[in-house]
Structure formats: structure tokens, C-alpha cells
Amino acid sequence: MENYFQMHMEKKKIDAISNLGLAHIGDGVFELLCRSWLCGHGGLTVGRLHGETIKLVKATAQAKFADAMRPILTDEELALYRRGKNSHVHAVPKSCTPAEYAKATGVEAMFGGLYLAGKTERINEIFVTVMEELYGV
């Protein structure tokens, strides 16, 4: 039986997934990381947890995350990021610029690709490093 909490997909299969498909799974991975990080730091009501999660997962915040993470990425991770960043989206939310949305899609695609490859330790390393840099916690 496939363990969908701990994927181990071959690179060939990951490469066959569309850029926006990678971003789709990465969106969920990134949101779960943000929710876990907020719960782990405690002290927030359910309403505040939701509001703070939204602040962290919106495209403008993910664009800042992208800028902070790029220097620590490997060539393989940068390739995943670029796949998402360079994908052709049909609509951009009013709350961000097209450049911010592209960076956010890159973040999501990179996390999606790493998740599908089973590289959860590396995902966590990148996430924690950037969160500490951006939020000092």
C-alpha cells in the first residue's frame, strides 16, 4: 500500500508532472508546514491561527520566502523552483503582482517536488532556516 504521508516517487515520474501540478501539491505541503510552525509556537487562538496562516501562505509572503530561500537551494531544488516560477498561470490575484505570484508558484513547486521525492528532512531544513531568518523564531 502506498504511504501518502511519506512519498518516494522516482525523478522520472516527478518530471512528468506539470509545473502547476507540482505547485498544487506544494501548496498543501507549505500550508501544513506553516500551520505546524504556528501551532508549535503556541499562544494563539483558533481564529488567530487561521489569520496568521493566511498571512504566511499568501503570495506576497511566499515571494519573500522565495527570496530568502534561494541562496540555500541546491541546483536540483533551484530547477524545481524555476519550473514553478516560469509556469504560465492564467490569473493572478489582485493582492499581489505577477512577479510575486510567479515566485510563490516557484516555492510551491519546489516543495511539491521535494515532497514527492520523499525529501522531507530537506523540506524541513529549508523551511526552518527561512522562517528563522524572516521571523527570528
Side-chain angles (χ1 to χ4, degrees):
M1 174 170 48
E2 185 75 48
N3 179 351
Y4 291 101
F5 277 113
Q6 185 63 44
M7 299 293 294
H8 291 287
M9 197 176 280
E10 297 174 13
K11 183 178 179 341
K12 184 171 73 175
K13 282 188 168 186
I14 294 169
D15 290 345
I17 297 171
S18 72
N19 300 341
L20 295 178
L22 290 178
H24 173 74
I25 188 71
D27 177 58
V29 171
F30 191 77
E31 182 163 345
L32 181 59
L33 287 164
C34 290
R35 286 174 179 238
S36 300
W37 185 78
L38 289 167
C39 285
H41 285 86
L44 297 175
T45 64
V46 173
R48 293 263 337 265
L49 282 170
H50 179 71
E52 293 300 313
T53 299
I54 289 170
K55 288 179 188 175
L56 292 173
V57 301
K58 66 183 182 179
T60 53
Q62 286 183 337
K64 290 177 186 166
F65 191 97
D67 291 337
M69 80 171 187
R70 286 196 61 208
I72 64 170
L73 297 182
T74 65
D75 289 342
E76 177 188 2
E77 294 159 354
L78 275 171
L80 287 166
Y81 170 76
R82 284 189 199 107
R83 276 185 66 182
K85 183 176 178 283
N86 295 332
S87 59
H88 299 287
V89 296
H90 298 290
V92 175
K94 295 177 188 175
S95 61
C96 65
T97 67
E100 288 171 329
Y101 197 69
K103 287 181 182 183
T105 305
V107 169
E108 292 171 349
M110 193 265 317
F111 276 113
L114 291 178
Y115 170 76
L116 292 173
K119 297 181 179 182
T120 54
E121 286 184 30
R122 180 61 179 152
I123 290 169
N124 191 63
E125 181 182 338
I126 293 167
F127 183 79
V128 169
T129 300
V130 174
M131 292 303 279
E132 287 176 352
E133 179 181 328
L134 292 177
Y135 301 103
V137 180

